[in-house]
């Protein structure tokens, strides 16, 4: 049986999503799981832009004449002390029984960015669906789950 992996932005939101799914969820280390779903969270920004010194050590102390520093391409790093949370997400995305990833991070540019950077850094290529809701009421969450959109519809936000 295949499963959908729902990725929320915060643990408290993931708990609300798990309740709204109305499935027999079992608590695991860093996620909740049923026969058909896994619900987990990002704990905010797990991936951040690399600082200028990461591109070139001379930028550790840059000078006005170095500006603007515009690396091509931009590179990203794991946020300090968030490695375990990231590895949990990468492992869940890689589960052989997970066939769909649901970006359930907050509706907006920041939520899209938080999800996409983790998805990209994890090297995931599974199809993405987008949950887009503006209310945490149980009925609004369930309605959003029944009206998921392709993740590609939101690429412009990323």
């Amino acid at each position: 049986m295949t499963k959908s992996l729902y990725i929320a932005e915060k643990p408290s939101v993931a708990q609300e999503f798990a309740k709204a799914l109305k499935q027999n969820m079992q608590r695991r280390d860093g996620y909740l799981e049923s026969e058909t779903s896994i619900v987990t969270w990002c704990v905010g920004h797990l991936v951040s832009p690399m600082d200028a010194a990461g591109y070139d050590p001379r930028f550790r102390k840059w000078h006005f004449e170095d500006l603007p520093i515009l690396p091509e391409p931009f590179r990203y790093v794991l946020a300090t002390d968030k490695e375990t949370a990231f590895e949990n997400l990468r492992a869940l995305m890689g589960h052989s029984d997970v066939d769909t990833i649901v970006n359930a991070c907050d509706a907006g540019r920041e939520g899209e960015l938080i999800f996409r950077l983790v998805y990209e850094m994890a090297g995931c290529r599974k199809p993405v669906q987008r949950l887009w809701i503006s209310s945490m009421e149980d009925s609004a969450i369930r309605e959003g789950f029944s009206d998921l959109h392709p993740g590609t519809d939101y690429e412009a936000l990323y």
Side-chain angles (χ1 to χ4, degrees):
M1 176 175 283
T2 61
K3 296 183 181 187
S4 293
L5 173 63
Y6 296 83
I7 301 176
E9 202 166 309
K10 303 174 259 319
S12 61
V13 174
Q15 291 281 352
E16 293 300 315
F17 291 163
K19 281 195 307 191
L21 284 168
K22 297 196 179 291
Q23 299 173 3
N24 185 21
M25 291 280 181
Q26 303 297 312
R27 183 136 179 87
R28 308 277 190 239
D29 188 19
Y31 62 99
L32 302 137
E33 184 173 25
S34 73
E35 284 188 33
T36 60
S37 303
I38 298 172
V39 181
T40 191
W41 49 89
C42 281
V43 197
H45 293 268
L46 296 179
V47 178
S48 60
M50 180 182 287
D51 67 19
Y55 294 95
D56 189 326
R58 71 186 171 94
F59 292 141
R60 193 170 311 280
K61 286 191 171 196
W62 50 268
H63 301 90
F64 186 75
E65 48 280 354
D66 293 327
L67 298 178
I69 300 170
L70 298 171
E72 265 306 316
F74 278 92
R75 296 191 315 226
Y76 298 89
V77 295
L78 287 178
T80 306
D81 298 328
K82 303 248 179 148
E83 295 87 354
T84 301
F86 174 79
E87 288 305 325
N88 179 57
L89 283 165
R90 183 198 326 242
L92 291 171
M93 286 183 206
H95 273 206
S96 60
D97 58 347
V98 169
D99 67 347
T100 301
I101 312 292
V102 178
N103 175 358
C105 288
D106 294 355
R109 293 185 77 179
E110 185 179 21
E112 193 67 26
L113 183 65
I114 287 170
F115 170 81
R116 295 282 179 129
L117 290 177
V118 168
Y119 179 83
E120 293 291 324
M121 185 168 269
C124 190
R125 297 294 169 252
K126 293 180 180 178
V128 174
Q129 295 289 304
R130 184 61 158 108
L131 172 69
W132 194 269
I133 58 173
S134 57
S135 169
M136 289 303 296
E137 299 231 357
D138 209 46
S139 60
I141 296 168
R142 281 196 307 279
E143 185 178 321
F145 284 152
S146 69
D147 189 31
L148 297 174
H149 295 270
T152 54
D153 290 357
Y154 299 86
E155 284 179 356
L157 287 176
Y158 166 63

